[in-house]
Amino acid sequence: MSDFKPGLEGVVAIQTEIAEPDREGGALRYRGVDIEELVGHVPYEKVWGLLVDESLDSAMPDPEPYEPKSLTGNAPSDLQAETARLSSEWDLKKLVDTEDEEARDDLARLSAQMMSIVAKSAAVADGRGPAPDDVVAQGDTAAEKFLLRWRGEADPRHVKAIDTYWICTAEHGLNASTFTARITASTGADCGAAMSAAVGALSGPLHGGAPARVLPMLDEVARTDDPQGYVKQVLESKGRIMGFGHRVYRAEDPRSRILKRTAKELGSPRFEVAEALEGSALAALRERKPDYVIATNVEFYSAVVLDVAEIPPELTPAMFACARVAGWAAHILEEKRTGRLIRPSARYVGPAARSLSAV
Ligand code: ACO
């Protein structure tokens, strides 16, 4: 118990064959393939196949017809609630009671349906119903169908922004939401329970909720035209600059590099402001912490790329969840195969034994 690590930093809790974030070299590989080779060459749904089935001949299917029971328009919470509900609606079997193939098919159905739930919730937030199935069927890729379902139309720039973002953020080792999915799977729960638990973990600002806080920062810098002053004020008030720092990477985050390039290629109107803020933030963080590398993380340019696709900031955690269904599904299957309950220990540091009357 002497090697307690707050936040489990550096603790190796699982072995995985799914993805390899290359901490020092700044590369990310899915099943050994660098994401630089995937972006722009295969659509997201095939990356799902690569991650889950280790095959590009396999892909995430289209969602089957299903009507969510109660959408509020708050996509992250709609997604968590409706995904949990699918466990009973579809009578999903517990992982301990299924074969791998059946669990894999449950995860494929769930992944596709989760994207559809987010698109429908986004339509509710916009005050309209989702597009009919014949309109959605005109799309070629999952990203295009997602936009058609939500908006009834799909601008090719928006499709490219979303497909690139989804591929870059499809999987990333043992992050908080994936760990949550694996812990839930390790108890033998069903796939809907594991996926919805992961959605909850992703929603926090220190994980998938960060892009929602990046755009307001960019707005503020655009208003004042003073990125240095903004950074100084955040750091002096002991705040965190959203979109910077990472528990794993001690080099440039490769996803950030690709998303930055994409934001520029797609002509993001926020690109210049983002680059100015990035420069000021990196310089100030380097000066403040010369021995601790704090680089731009995936969330900073994610926010800029998603803005190109006119994704409202409050929807960004749900967009992240759409991407991460691939990684979660792959990890839930990998966890199922280990068959070992995840149950670490806690060191008790509370009061010594005492009588009830002493409390
Ligand atoms: N802005 C300002 N200071 C920072 C930042 C930041 N973005 N990130 C780290 N620091 C500072 C901390 O204040 C701390 O300083 P202190 O020692 O003086 O208190 C020091 O660096 C170490 O901070 P930790 O939280 O221990 O660093 P860790 O590497 O564990 O943190 C984390 C990673 C949580 C992502 C952090 O960098 C952060 O909060 N970033 C902002 C939120 C964000 O962008 N989240 C998205 C992460 S990517 C993802 O989840 C997909």
Side-chain angles (χ1 to χ4, degrees):
M1 296 292 271
S2 57
D3 53 358
F4 165 59
K5 296 266 173 37
L8 301 182
E9 185 165 0
V11 173
V12 178
I14 61 155
Q15 296 202 101
T16 183
E17 297 178 1
I18 303 165
E20 186 188 9
D22 169 5
R23 191 178 145 90
E24 305 303 336
L28 173 60
R29 289 179 284 273
Y30 295 162
R31 302 276 183 191
V33 181
D34 195 313
I35 58 168
E36 284 274 7
E37 277 200 68
L38 296 169
V39 169
H41 297 288
V42 284
Y44 170 83
E45 55 274 25
K46 289 221 167 241
V47 173
W48 189 99
L50 173 66
L51 284 164
V52 176
D53 299 322
E54 204 175 346
S55 166
L56 286 173
D57 293 331
S58 153
M60 183 182 73
D62 284 334
E64 61 200 74
Y66 174 78
E67 272 318 305
K69 294 293 169 277
S70 164
L71 296 178
T72 64
N74 178 327
S77 77
D78 281 348
L79 181 62
Q80 193 179 355
E82 293 293 334
T83 304
R85 203 193 297 271
L86 287 171
S87 295
S88 57
E89 292 286 331
W90 287 351
D91 200 15
L92 298 178
K93 279 201 204 141
K94 303 285 181 214
L95 280 164
V96 284
D97 299 327
T98 52
E99 297 300 321
D100 289 357
E101 294 72 35
E102 195 178 352
R104 182 263 173 216
D105 290 346
D106 283 350
L107 289 162
R109 294 171 78 196
L110 280 162
S111 298
Q113 200 56 237
M114 287 168 79
M115 293 204 166
S116 172
I117 290 167
V118 172
K120 288 178 178 173
S121 174
V124 169
D126 286 352
R128 41 187 169 73
D133 288 347
D134 59 319
V135 172
V136 178
Q138 290 164 17
D140 281 335
T141 63
E144 191 176 0
K145 288 176 187 164
F146 174 87
L147 282 171
L148 286 170
R149 194 181 305 281
W150 170 10
R151 297 174 177 161
E153 57 184 30
D155 178 323
R157 281 174 68 244
H158 297 183
V159 173
K160 181 171 180 193
I162 291 177
D163 191 54
T164 304
Y165 167 74
W166 279 352
I167 292 173
C168 286
T169 54
E171 154 61 3
H172 202 242
L174 202 62
N175 52 83
S177 57
T178 302
F179 196 25
T180 305
R182 286 193 75 128
I183 292 170
T184 312
S186 85
T187 70
D190 65 72
C191 295
M195 290 287 231
S196 66
V199 174
L202 186 82
S203 64
L206 297 190
H207 188 16
R213 300 183 179 216
V214 170
L215 288 190
M217 281 183 350
L218 296 180
D219 286 342
E220 182 60 12
V221 172
R223 192 183 64 78
T224 58
D225 195 22
D226 180 14
Q228 282 176 334
Y230 177 82
V231 167
K232 190 163 176 268
Q233 170 227 314
V234 173
L235 294 180
E236 279 176 1
S237 60
K238 303 252 174 277
R240 291 191 176 210
I241 309 168
M242 288 295 156
F244 295 88
H246 200 274
R247 186 57 72 76
V248 175
Y249 286 121
R250 290 294 158 253
E252 184 187 26
D253 183 327
R255 303 167 298 173
S256 156
R257 187 169 61 228
I258 295 171
L259 290 163
K260 181 174 181 177
R261 193 171 69 217
T262 305
K264 192 170 183 189
E265 276 168 16
L266 292 176
S268 161
R270 295 186 190 261
F271 186 78
E272 262 181 46
V273 173
E275 213 177 23
L277 175 59
E278 182 187 27
S280 300
L282 293 178
L285 289 167
R286 209 174 300 126
E287 193 183 307
R288 198 163 164 261
K289 297 225 161 280
D291 302 327
Y292 193 78
V293 178
I294 301 180
T296 317
N297 68 41
V298 65
E299 305 284 32
F300 189 70
Y301 282 104
S302 287
V304 183
V305 167
L306 289 175
D307 177 60
V308 171
E310 295 171 19
I311 306 294
E314 58 280 8
L315 191 65
T316 53
M319 292 300 286
F320 195 171
C322 287
R324 203 40 78 79
V325 293
W328 293 337
H331 276 274
I332 289 167
L333 278 181
E334 196 174 66
E335 187 59 46
K336 178 184 188 318
R337 289 179 190 127
T338 74
R340 180 101 181 133
L341 175 71
I342 298 176
R343 203 312 187 179
S345 302
R347 179 198 294 161
Y348 178 71
V349 293
R354 53 184 170 163
S355 72
L356 180 58
S357 60
V359 177

